[in-house]
Amino acid sequence: MQVSDTAPVASAGVALGEPGGNLMVAITATLKRDLTLMLRRRGEMLNPLVFFALVITLFPIGISPDPELLALIAPGLLWVAALLAALLSLDSLFRSDYDDGSLEQLMLAPQPLAALSLAKVAVHWLLTGLPLALMAPVLGIMLALPAGSYLILALSLALGTASLSLIGAIGAALTVGLAKGGVLLSLLVLPLYIPVLIFGTGAVQAAVFGDGVTAHLAILGALLAGALIFAPWAIAASLRISING
Amino acid sequence: MMAFDSFADFLAMGGHAPYVWSSWGITFLLLIVAVLHARFERRQLLTTLRRRVRREQARHQPVASQAPLNTAQGGGNHDPQA
Amino acid sequence: MWAFIHKLGSPKWFYRISAKLQPWFWVAAAGLIVTGSLWGLAFAPADYQQGNSFRILYVHVPAAFLAQSIFVSMAIAGLVYMVWKIKVADMAAAVMAPLGAAMTFISLFSGAVWGVPTWGTWWMWDARLTSMLILLFLYLGVIALRGAFTSRDSASRAASVLAMVGVINIPIIKYSVDWWYTLHQPATFTITSRPAMPTEMWLPLLLMVLGFYSFFIALTLMRTRSEILRRESNKRWVRELVEEGQ
């Protein structure tokens, strides 16, 4: 199925006769294919969300059910738990494509690998980062997060997890060829997540205290823009290393 | 001009002796360990290489059939006959 | 320029030239560090606020400088290796990483110990200490990634990519941690940034910093030479060298 996906892509591009169209067609094809494959494995898709909810459940039990205390630490807890949930799903980002050889097909495609891997990361964010962001307000209620900060929580998570997916994909691409890449992946990726965590929690805390949140969101957006520019090249280079090595 | 009146004063560091001396101690310990490790690594490597050259000379084998060393200590992949 | 780069890239040439350079850097390192230590420990005046505990500065600051410089050097070496396929650059990057991690550890340890007389606690989430801790994790990641590959070529390229990604992120991490710290801990007393240090205080510091850098260069040259012998052990010139040495 994966092989047959790339063939019509190439011919469609030739038929259109313009290289730009060729690339767009290839990206759309990759997007569609990845979405289809991910939606077929709904259980795997739900795992990060269940993990997120479970970790959030552990904190009141481990710390205290006192709403005032929980409200104080809720922004940080929600962000850290969402970050770990996003991390958990990273290992499978390239794993199955690596195992069945379709990653090699992607590399052989005439289109730049950076653009195609960006499409793959976009699907990953759409199916993990975005659901996590949408689910966070519900868990915020459970942690007694003050009203009025829910929208900012979801927004900061949606922006932040996109950066997390991009940065994490570099680590996932570097470790996909390794048998025991899982723990190594967290060691590589978590230090790079820290700026996103700082500004993500900062945004929610600012919303709780009623301060301006635009600065935080703007910085999250800047981080995302930077990641969008640099990460695809690093992901492509890392995939080449993992496959040729 | 010395900042201390006596050697005992110098050692006491105005009551901050444990902090000052433990920081300086761990720093110099690590620097010395780094140098010793580099020397040990070099000697070990030269011994292994020498042994290999001698072994090959004794056997009159062509050079090209040798694989490069690939372990950190260089000692792990000896020929069993050596 | 190109001829020079390619010459430098030849392991044989590098082995010869580094043999000549190495002793100078060892002498400089030993001289500077011994002078700087004696000066800093015994002759520099005590700080009017912190007393003699400020003498930790003379190992904390050089180690912190070097820890950051080594990561940048490692990333540059990685870039050189990726772009020009110069193997010596990767060998240097490989031997730099453990020293960089050791320097990061020294600056963390001395910072924590310094915290006891200054803040009254072993650990404080001070912006500098936090950045250093993250830098330590970045070093450990690069070392672990290099060790995880069985193919040396893949290991080298993966470590190069990670070092480059890390070096792009270091300023972002540093900036965001600084911002985070000022938000949560309105500027109290930072241990290293002080207004106008008198000359008798910063001269020994300068000597120590230069000494640490010389030490880094000397040790890197020495270990890169060993690494060249290890990786090129089947080359004719290495065999001849070993035979001559006997």
Side-chain angles (χ1 to χ4, degrees):
Chain A
M1 177 205 156
Q2 289 83 7
V3 183
S4 62
D5 261 357
T6 45
V9 167
S11 58
V14 170
L16 279 169
E18 51 175 330
N22 196 352
L23 180 62
M24 280 321 290
V25 174
I27 289 176
T28 338
T30 316
L31 277 175
K32 266 190 200 153
R33 169 182 170 273
D34 270 35
L35 267 176
T36 320
L37 281 178
M38 288 286 269
L39 287 174
R40 275 191 204 148
R41 289 173 297 176
R42 285 204 193 87
E44 213 171 293
M45 221 189 80
L46 282 175
N47 282 345
L49 298 178
V50 177
F51 176 83
F52 188 28
L54 251 171
V55 170
I56 290 301
T57 314
L58 293 181
F59 281 108
I61 296 170
I63 297 170
S64 146
D66 173 27
E68 268 176 45
L69 181 67
L70 284 177
L72 199 67
I73 53 174
L77 289 188
L78 287 162
W79 249 95
V80 170
L83 184 142
L84 292 176
L87 181 74
L88 191 72
S89 65
L90 272 182
D91 194 45
S92 62
L93 179 54
F94 297 115
R95 178 72 59 195
S96 64
D97 283 356
Y98 178 82
D99 289 340
D100 68 12
S102 45
L103 213 51
E104 270 168 83
Q105 294 291 332
L106 212 62
M107 267 180 59
L108 292 173
Q111 289 80 17
L113 183 58
L116 299 182
S117 39
L118 185 61
K120 291 186 82 65
V121 175
V123 172
H124 176 259
W125 173 76
L126 216 56
L127 296 181
T128 50
L130 196 59
L132 285 174
L134 294 176
M135 191 178 158
V138 181
L139 298 172
I141 296 174
M142 289 163 67
L143 288 184
L145 191 71
S149 52
Y150 295 108
L151 182 68
I152 300 302
L153 174 66
L155 209 60
S156 70
L157 271 171
L159 267 176
T161 48
S163 307
L164 297 187
S165 289
L166 280 163
I167 299 167
I170 304 173
L174 280 171
T175 53
V176 71
L178 303 170
K180 282 173 261 172
V183 185
L184 185 59
L185 176 61
S186 3
L187 177 59
L188 303 186
V189 160
L190 279 178
L192 305 177
Y193 275 3
I194 285 167
V196 179
L197 175 67
I198 286 175
F199 290 105
T201 2
V204 183
Q205 275 166 348
V208 168
F209 295 125
D211 300 339
V213 293
T214 32
H216 299 89
L217 293 181
I219 291 175
L220 279 179
L223 289 176
L224 177 58
L228 270 173
I229 293 167
F230 289 111
W233 308 105
I235 298 168
S238 312
L239 282 177
R240 289 212 177 84
I241 294 165
S242 287
I243 286 173
N244 294 338
Chain B
M1 206 38 228
M2 279 278 275
F4 299 96
D5 295 332
S6 65
F7 189 67
D9 265 9
F10 173 64
L11 286 184
M13 278 286 156
H16 293 307
Y19 315 120
V20 173
W21 293 119
S22 66
S23 295
W24 279 76
I26 201 95
T27 308
F28 277 83
L29 184 74
L30 276 176
L31 291 187
I32 289 165
V33 164
V35 174
L36 290 181
H37 167 253
R39 282 175 63 117
F40 173 79
E41 173 191 53
R42 189 167 168 78
R43 278 204 196 133
Q44 188 96 347
L45 193 66
L46 283 175
T47 318
T48 320
L49 286 175
R50 254 177 231 137
R51 206 177 288 154
R52 201 163 95 181
V53 168
R54 242 182 276 140
R55 194 164 67 221
E56 278 160 18
Q57 279 170 344
R59 281 205 213 142
H60 301 292
Q61 270 183 350
V63 185
S65 66
Q66 278 293 336
L69 297 180
N70 52 8
T71 55
Q73 296 303 324
N77 51 357
H78 286 309
D79 234 327
Q81 295 106 312
Chain C
M1 174 70 189
W2 285 108
F4 176 73
I5 286 183
H6 280 279
K7 236 175 154 186
L8 196 67
S10 142
K12 188 181 172 184
W13 190 81
F14 184 89
Y15 195 85
R16 293 240 168 99
I17 197 80
S18 59
K20 286 184 195 134
L21 288 175
Q22 207 191 337
W24 297 102
F25 282 106
W26 281 122
V27 169
L32 287 167
I33 291 177
V34 168
T35 323
S37 301
L38 287 178
W39 194 348
L41 274 175
F43 292 94
D47 186 72
Y48 71 99
Q49 267 183 321
Q50 300 184 44
N52 285 308
S53 72
F54 101 99
R55 291 178 204 282
I56 296 174
L57 174 103
Y58 295 121
V59 291
H60 176 79
V61 170
F65 275 9
L66 201 51
Q68 293 170 31
S69 303
I70 292 179
F71 205 97
V72 176
S73 318
M74 212 165 68
I76 294 173
L79 183 73
V80 169
Y81 174 70
M82 292 292 272
V83 174
W84 289 292
K85 305 279 167 240
I86 292 173
K87 282 186 191 159
V88 174
D90 175 61
M91 298 182 199
V95 300
M96 275 177 207
L99 183 66
M103 285 298 149
T104 318
F105 175 77
I106 289 176
S107 81
L108 269 178
F109 181 87
S110 54
V113 167
W114 200 352
V116 182
T118 337
W119 299 317
T121 168
W122 285 95
W123 182 261
M124 175 114 139
W125 290 97
D126 163 72
R128 279 160 202 273
L129 285 181
T130 313
S131 296
M132 272 294 155
L133 186 64
I134 298 167
L135 185 65
L136 183 63
F137 289 133
L138 286 174
Y139 269 118
L140 296 181
V142 174
I143 295 172
L145 186 68
R146 191 183 278 278
F149 282 87
T150 42
S151 138
R152 176 175 288 151
D153 187 48
S154 305
S156 308
R157 292 196 294 153
S160 303
V161 168
L162 187 65
M164 284 188 271
V165 171
V167 94
I168 293 175
N169 273 281
I170 285 176
I172 303 176
I173 293 173
K174 234 181 136 38
Y175 165 75
S176 46
V177 168
D178 281 352
W179 181 86
W180 160 81
Y181 185 70
T182 46
L183 183 79
H184 289 270
Q185 207 73 44
T188 48
F189 184 58
T190 47
I191 45 182
T192 46
S193 67
R194 49 185 54 258
M197 203 191 276
T199 321
E200 319 81 90
M201 272 186 178
W202 69 254
L203 257 182
L205 179 63
L206 183 70
L207 291 190
M208 285 301 272
V209 169
L210 292 177
F212 269 56
Y213 274 96
S214 307
F215 178 87
F216 158 60
I217 296 172
L219 191 78
T220 307
L221 286 179
M222 181 175 182
R223 291 203 61 210
T224 308
R225 282 161 60 80
S226 305
E227 194 70 16
I228 289 174
L229 288 186
R230 184 181 297 145
R231 292 200 200 175
E232 306 269 300
S233 59
N234 55 349
K235 295 276 164 64
R236 180 173 292 276
W237 71 270
V238 175
R239 290 177 49 84
E240 278 164 5
L241 196 106
V242 171
E243 279 167 38
E244 277 164 29
Q246 259 307 45

